[in-house]
Amino acid sequence: MGDFLLVTGGAGYIGSHTVVNLLERGSQVIVLDNLCNSNDAVFDRIDSITHSQAVFVKGDIRDRDCLAKIFSTYPIDSVIHFAGLKAVGESSQIPLDYYQNNVYGTLVLCEAMAAAGVKKLIFSSSATVYGEDAPVPYEETMPRGKTSNPYGTSKAMVEQILTDLCASDPEWSVALLRYFNPIGAHPSGLIGEDPKGIPNNLMPFISQVAVGKRKELSIFGNDYPTSDGTCERDYLHVMDLADGHVSALSALDEKGAHIYNLGTGKGLSVLEMVESFKRVTGVDVPYSFADRREGDLPAFWADASKAEKELDWSATRTLDEMMEDTWRWQSNNPNGYDG
Ligand code: NAD
Ligand code: UD1
């Protein structure tokens, strides 16, 4: 298509998969990332997949001069904003860092956009903004709920800020994409999720146990009011999530703030995930039951019908593909981008 897109956080897990899709559709992509949770080796991998290149600017979304230079150098049409910190537990220990990066960083970005006259934005929000008491499935018309950690609160605050911005200036169009649980990797096995240190999230933990980096999985709680006592989540393939951003770009022609759930609409339990991984890969994943993790909700999944109706998007990859692609990435890259 030849449009120019700024992708903040484009070296990260979801960003890198989205950059692949954008390059494959012919967009010119400028990635701004400070690499605080990623590795610039990802760009050679993206080149190998797409045979085209994103421009990489190593820098911080809080750096006004850096943003001004990007907007004056490239004729950016829209911004996809992934950059931010995302570890829930850590956010309670260093809340100021989370509000600095996620809230202040977004303010600086929006100010730079406004100064450059760029008023189309896609924001990475999270199902966590539905809060602790929302009934399932989550629908976009429900009010945001009570968040239980600074990470979740930062996402809810940014949603409100962007909604207010759209109300104040009818030139803005913003998509607030509420992700459910992205897993999997590009089917090439060249890019995938590469958490630093001990993974917080389920799927990277399972695959690191399978590859022999960790001894066993602790399943946090088996006494929840669910089918088998373990928590249920709406897992979607990261390539479907990446497609969702491409679909949302077309919705940016409509002004105002628009919320979309990006999920499959189906909940799966932790035990179902472990069993599926074993069935699909043939690799065992030893596990034991542990106490519940503080802040975990028993079960949630998306009502995904609005994105299907308005964006013509739905998650199409199967659970087996999620498992196969996770394992291809992990087994080909036992130490992630470090080899
Ligand atoms: P990620 O950590 O892999 O990617 C985020 C990227 O942003 C990293 O490359 C990091 O280096 C960069 N970054 C962080 N702060 C920055 C800053 N101040 N300036 C420039 N770059 C910065 O995370 P991800 O899983 O790809 O998530 C992307 C976005 O989606 C995040 O905003 C996250 O909160 C949100 N999200 C993720 C999930 C999930 O399950 N992964 C779920 C819901 C929402
Ligand atoms: C977590 C965050 C959420 C964030 C999302 C994506 C919490 C409380 N929530 O969601 O805000 O948007 O990540 O980054 O951290 N599990 C285990 N053992 C493990 C890891 C996880 O049993 O070692 C279980 C969890 O209890 C949960 C499920 O697996 O039931 C999924 O966990 P996870 O991948 O961390 O995602 P969420 O908790 O849904």
Side-chain angles (χ1 to χ4, degrees), residues 50 93 103 145 276 279:
T50 63
Q93 287 148 16
V103 182
S276 308
R279 175 179 53 75

Side-chain angles (χ1 to χ4, degrees), residues 116-339:
V118 177
K119 297 186 175 178
K120 292 182 178 184
L121 176 68
I122 295 181
F123 173 63
S124 300
S125 190
S126 165
T128 196
V129 302
Y130 286 101
E132 296 169 357
D133 303 314
V136 289
Y138 292 168
E139 292 169 20
E140 292 90 340
T141 48
M142 292 172 176
R144 282 188 296 272
K146 184 179 169 299
T147 46
S148 54
N149 53 72
Y151 167 75
T153 308
S154 75
K155 292 292 176 190
M157 288 168 82
V158 171
E159 283 202 357
Q160 187 62 53
I161 290 166
L162 295 175
T163 305
D164 293 345
L165 179 60
C166 289
S168 74
D169 177 352
E171 289 294 306
W172 279 85
S173 15
V174 175
L176 305 171
L177 302 184
R178 293 178 177 169
Y179 309 157
F180 283 68
N181 290 58
I183 61 169
H186 190 272
S188 63
L190 286 170
I191 60 171
E193 189 169 11
D194 182 20
K196 291 199 191 327
I198 301 170
N200 296 310
N201 298 116
L202 178 64
M203 211 55 221
F205 208 106
I206 289 178
S207 59
Q208 290 197 8
V209 171
V211 85
K213 280 183 81 175
R214 319 228 164 250
K215 212 164 128 258
E216 67 168 18
L217 171 74
S218 295
I219 296 183
F220 301 139
N222 63 343
D223 58 352
Y224 283 100
T226 59
S227 55
D228 60 25
T230 65
C231 293
E232 292 171 0
R233 296 287 182 273
D234 183 339
Y235 298 93
L236 80 159
H237 198 297
V238 68
M239 293 302 298
D240 279 327
L241 184 54
D243 289 344
H245 292 74
V246 176
S247 302
L249 273 177
S250 51
L252 291 181
D253 290 337
E254 206 170 312
K255 307 289 179 204
H258 305 277
I259 302 173
Y260 295 101
N261 288 338
L262 297 183
T264 64
K266 187 171 160 14
L268 290 169
S269 76
V270 177
L271 276 174
E272 284 174 307
M273 296 298 283
V274 174
E275 293 309 325
S276 308
F277 184 87
K278 289 187 194 174
R279 175 179 53 75
V280 169
T281 65
V283 183
D284 192 27
V285 178
Y287 65 82
S288 61
F289 293 113
D291 288 346
R292 292 180 176 197
R293 180 172 68 178
E294 205 185 319
D296 274 345
L297 298 175
F300 61 84
W301 56 90
D303 178 326
S305 55
K306 186 180 176 197
E308 180 159 14
K309 196 162 143 239
E310 294 186 12
L311 303 181
D312 196 21
W313 173 90
S314 59
T316 57
R317 276 96 172 163
T318 63
L319 182 60
D320 285 17
E321 286 172 275
M322 300 184 215
M323 298 298 168
E324 278 161 16
D325 293 337
T326 298
W327 184 231
R328 189 177 303 106
W329 156 251
Q330 182 71 72
S331 52
N332 289 352
N333 308 272
N335 297 309
Y337 292 107
D338 292 328

Side-chain angles (χ1 to χ4, degrees), residues 15-43:
S16 57
H17 290 79
T18 305
V19 167
V20 164
N21 279 11
L22 296 170
L23 290 172
E24 284 178 341
R25 78 198 263 275
S27 297
Q28 310 280 327
V29 178
I30 292 90
V31 169
L32 173 64
D33 199 303
N34 66 5
L35 301 180
C36 70
N37 197 36
S38 48
N39 189 318
D40 61 4
V42 73
F43 293 107

